[in-house]
Amino acid sequence: MKKHSSLQVIRDEHASLAAMLQSMRMMVERGPSDDRRNFFDVVRAMLFYIDEFPERLHHPKESNLLFPKVVKASPKVMGAVDKLERDHMYSEKAARDLQHLLLSWELLGSSRRQAFEDAFKNYVDFYLAHMHLEETVILPEAERCLSEADWALLDQAFAENADPLTGHYPPTQAYEKLFSLIVTRAPSPIGLG
């Protein structure tokens, strides 16, 4: 079976997002300790990354290109696609809600911490389940039923994402500061901090 670059891009982006979520989970569990400024700066940068890359680049290509092609070729996945589309609508708002809850915790103090932690835990669990559904239902079905013309279009579209956290692309000048902050100050597995 021929390998399609868009499948690798999707999987790489899922892996980098999962690593980002794991790093964030570790940071949130440890809390800000003595370096509150670094903690809030890094978590905020990571949430901004999620809003900028997966929400604005990755999800629209799945929703507008991948999912319709897979459903057309294999209508049996319509239920999974419906759920994934609802997830996409939820996740964009949820990422912004988390940014607000984080700011609330930072500016209003520890009485707001639990609200952020609860919402963040739910968000991570939701997002990991979302990616699992895509990887176990949609991607295998796409591999089975899409045409070479479909793959050519998908490969070209997903190649444009160029997400630096996948480790395959340098950050663009506009995002260099964001990625430098994340990579140098976040904990492993996403950063060096």
Side-chain angles (χ1 to χ4, degrees):
M1 180 178 289
K2 182 179 177 189
K3 290 289 184 187
H4 301 285
S5 62
S6 53
L7 287 173
Q8 192 60 52
V9 169
I10 292 167
R11 289 180 175 121
D12 288 347
E13 289 175 353
H14 284 179
S16 69
L17 180 58
M20 171 80 69
L21 293 170
Q22 282 302 108
S23 290
M24 290 174 74
R25 185 189 320 243
M26 290 169 24
M27 287 186 71
V28 169
E29 286 172 358
R30 285 190 291 221
S33 64
D34 295 334
D35 196 354
R36 287 181 52 82
R37 181 170 180 232
N38 185 64
F39 173 83
F40 287 108
D41 286 351
V42 173
V43 174
R44 189 174 23 263
M46 294 167 117
L47 287 171
F48 182 75
Y49 158 81
I50 291 170
D51 193 37
E52 284 290 302
F53 278 81
E55 296 299 340
R56 296 176 194 250
L57 290 175
H58 182 92
H59 288 173
K61 289 178 183 161
E62 289 176 336
S63 292
N64 298 328
L65 297 173
L66 177 63
F67 296 167
K69 290 185 178 308
V70 176
V71 166
K72 183 177 180 184
S74 181
K76 70 182 181 183
V77 300
M78 187 63 189
V81 167
D82 280 344
K83 179 179 183 342
L84 292 168
E85 288 292 6
R86 286 191 309 273
D87 287 355
H88 284 178
M89 288 187 282
Y90 164 80
S91 66
E92 185 173 352
K93 181 181 181 318
R96 292 196 183 118
D97 288 348
L98 281 171
Q99 291 176 44
H100 177 81
L101 289 168
L102 182 69
L103 186 62
S104 174
W105 174 16
E106 179 181 15
L107 297 178
L108 301 178
S110 61
S111 67
R112 300 295 182 101
R113 180 178 182 164
Q114 193 64 51
F116 175 82
E117 287 181 347
D118 293 345
F120 179 72
K121 180 192 178 311
N122 291 337
Y123 181 76
V124 170
D125 293 344
F126 149 80
Y127 224 128
L128 294 174
H130 172 84
M131 291 187 293
H132 180 75
L133 180 59
E134 287 179 352
E135 291 183 11
T136 59
V137 174
I138 302 304
L139 298 185
E141 196 63 22
E143 285 181 286
R144 189 185 70 71
C145 67
L146 294 185
S147 71
E148 287 305 313
D150 291 333
W151 286 115
L153 179 69
L154 290 166
D155 290 350
Q156 180 181 359
F158 277 93
E160 295 169 2
N161 287 9
D163 181 347
L165 287 183
T166 63
H168 301 300
Y169 311 94
T172 62
Q173 186 174 0
Y175 289 104
E176 195 168 328
K177 183 177 177 183
L178 172 67
F179 287 100
S180 176
L181 187 149
I182 292 170
V183 170
T184 60
R185 294 169 51 190
S188 177
I190 207 67
L192 307 171

